[in-house]
Amino acid sequence: MKKKLIFNAFYSENNTAKIVGIGKNEKHKNSYEFYLKNIFVSLKSAKENNQDVDVMLITNNKLPEKYNKYFEENGIKILRVPFTHFLMPSQFVWSNAFYKLNALNYVINNLEYDYYLELDTDTYVPRNLNDLWSECEYDNLLLYNTKHKASHPVRKAIMEDYEKIFRKKSNVQQWGGEFICGNKQVLKLFLDKLQEVYNSIATAGFNVDTNSGDEMLISIAAKSMNILDSGAYIERYWTQRFYLSSTNWANDYVLIWHLPAEKKYGMIELYDYYEKKRKFPSITNTRKMLNLPSTKHFSKRKFKIYISKFLKKVNWISQY
């Protein structure tokens, strides 16, 4: 049987997660506890539905004893790894997000597994991943296509960064950083590409957009690789004021839900639910917690068709 690893990466300083976009509230004085609870939900849900895999947190600092004990009791391995690769200047807004690539470098070069899946901390795994692992038999790197057109600000910035680095234009596809998957051989090749691009950026004096995140490095490095779009396996759902979601949590369903806007909301509800009941809710109830759309749809046309069929049935019955 192939050995499989699912892992999250988490970088912190002085018990603070210095990553943009999560904020504070009265219960959590900084983003640190939000991330620990998200990590638990991500990795525990993966383990619950995939008993044959190892799940692991790669982090640079020791966790508070409360969380360290709780993670280990629930089968989540913890490995401390210093931030030594893919370091970006401190003025880069997303500099700490590059720790996920540092974590990838460590596990591929130091841990013996056949298949690896790195997920962002704000993910939920409600189903078995057997179909995904079957893809890892082949020489494809699996990444998530953000489906952003050329004028999208983030993809546009990536293409501009590419031009700054290599002195030529290219319509670089933007791949998300929430999902990196493949076998050891493919991921070693990907790490070589990442290092090549990083070296080129460093040689140029880090003359790229200071808002550039790990997706910039991932997307440029992936340009020369054989990529399989993982859209059949993961979806990125936006579930707050900006609402961009799908019913593919249930219909033609994906296996992993990425929920960037639920870090402080639905993911915390799931953590609290599990802590109280020692299990996660049903998929239907989970989707409600995470503000995903219902599969039930009402429209005037659908209502007219229903009424028409009902009247025909009544008319047929009345003849007998």
Side-chain angles (χ1 to χ4, degrees):
M1 179 180 289
K2 299 291 186 181
K3 292 184 66 180
K4 313 172 192 78
L5 176 67
I6 300 173
F7 66 102
N8 285 177
F10 174 59
Y11 181 82
S12 66
E13 295 177 7
N14 302 317
N15 288 347
T16 301
K18 294 186 176 180
I19 298 177
V20 176
I22 191 164
K24 307 175 183 179
N25 72 1
E26 292 180 2
K27 188 176 180 181
H28 301 92
K29 300 306 179 185
N30 59 49
S31 57
Y32 186 70
E33 281 199 78
F34 281 130
Y35 272 96
L36 294 182
K37 291 182 177 185
N38 276 245
I39 290 162
F40 181 87
V41 170
S42 174
L43 295 177
K44 185 60 178 177
S45 64
K47 185 66 175 177
E48 289 277 287
N49 293 294
N50 299 272
Q51 292 293 322
D52 62 332
V53 309
D54 285 344
V55 296
M56 185 179 294
L57 169 62
I58 308 296
T59 187
N60 64 309
N61 281 319
K62 186 177 180 179
L63 301 189
E65 186 55 32
K66 168 190 170 183
Y67 288 100
N68 190 77
K69 182 180 179 182
Y70 193 49
F71 279 36
E72 290 182 347
E73 286 175 351
N74 282 278
I76 300 172
K77 300 175 185 291
I78 303 169
L79 189 61
R80 290 177 65 184
V81 175
F83 197 173
T84 57
H85 288 71
F86 307 111
L87 291 161
M88 301 297 279
S90 59
Q91 68 266 27
F92 277 62
V93 176
W94 298 95
S95 59
N96 289 343
F98 287 83
Y99 182 75
K100 74 174 61 169
L101 302 179
N102 178 83
L104 179 67
N105 179 74
Y106 185 89
V107 300
I108 297 302
N109 288 303
N110 294 278
L111 303 182
E112 289 304 319
Y113 291 90
D114 299 295
Y115 303 152
Y116 301 79
L117 170 61
E118 181 169 18
L119 292 174
D120 269 2
T121 59
D122 50 2
T123 51
Y124 185 74
V125 185
R127 292 186 170 91
N128 187 282
L129 299 179
N130 286 344
D131 274 346
L132 174 62
W133 300 127
S134 72
E135 304 278 14
C136 295
E137 297 176 20
Y138 306 97
D139 293 331
N140 302 105
L141 173 66
L142 283 87
L143 295 174
Y144 176 70
N145 186 339
T146 62
K147 301 181 282 290
H148 288 159
K149 52 185 175 287
S151 61
H152 187 281
V154 178
R155 186 177 172 206
K156 183 180 178 182
I158 291 172
M159 291 192 289
E160 289 171 351
D161 283 343
Y162 181 93
E163 186 176 359
K164 291 174 185 175
I165 299 164
F166 298 106
R167 307 288 185 181
K168 60 181 180 180
K169 292 184 177 183
S170 176
N171 61 332
V172 181
Q173 173 60 53
Q174 182 191 349
W175 300 100
E178 62 261 59
F179 177 106
I180 302 173
C181 185
N183 61 48
K184 181 180 280 286
Q185 181 180 354
V186 166
L187 289 169
K188 278 192 170 185
L189 177 60
F190 183 47
L191 283 166
D192 288 343
K193 300 292 184 183
L194 287 167
Q195 192 65 57
E196 288 174 12
V197 176
Y198 176 82
N199 290 344
S200 296
I201 293 170
T203 300
F206 295 97
N207 184 31
V208 293
D209 190 337
T210 56
N211 285 310
S212 294
D214 54 288
E215 290 187 357
M216 176 271 293
L217 192 51
I218 290 168
S219 299
I220 295 175
K223 184 172 168 55
S224 59
M225 292 197 64
N226 187 20
I227 307 298
L228 181 65
D229 179 7
S230 63
Y233 299 106
I234 183 170
E235 185 67 78
R236 182 189 290 183
Y237 302 107
W238 293 101
T239 54
Q240 297 298 322
R241 184 172 60 179
F242 175 71
Y243 197 83
L244 180 60
S245 290
S246 168
T247 58
N248 65 354
W249 62 268
N251 297 331
D252 196 15
Y253 56 80
V254 294
L255 307 181
I256 302 166
W257 306 349
H258 182 209
L259 304 140
E262 293 297 324
K263 289 183 181 75
K264 295 192 293 182
Y265 306 107
M267 293 293 281
I268 304 304
E269 285 187 51
L270 284 172
Y271 178 90
D272 292 341
Y273 185 100
Y274 191 92
E275 191 173 39
K276 182 178 180 180
K277 301 195 175 183
R278 292 296 186 265
K279 65 177 183 178
F280 289 112
S282 67
I283 288 179
T284 300
N285 287 335
T286 300
R287 78 90 189 159
K288 292 176 182 177
M289 287 185 181
L290 297 171
N291 203 26
L292 295 176
S294 170
T295 56
K296 296 178 181 179
H297 172 68
F298 174 82
S299 68
K300 289 182 179 180
R301 181 176 62 184
K302 188 175 180 180
F303 181 71
K304 287 178 180 178
I305 292 171
Y306 174 81
I307 293 299
S308 177
K309 287 182 178 179
F310 176 76
L311 292 174
K312 285 180 181 179
K313 187 175 181 180
V314 169
N315 184 55
W316 180 83
I317 292 172
S318 66
Q319 295 177 15
Y320 293 91

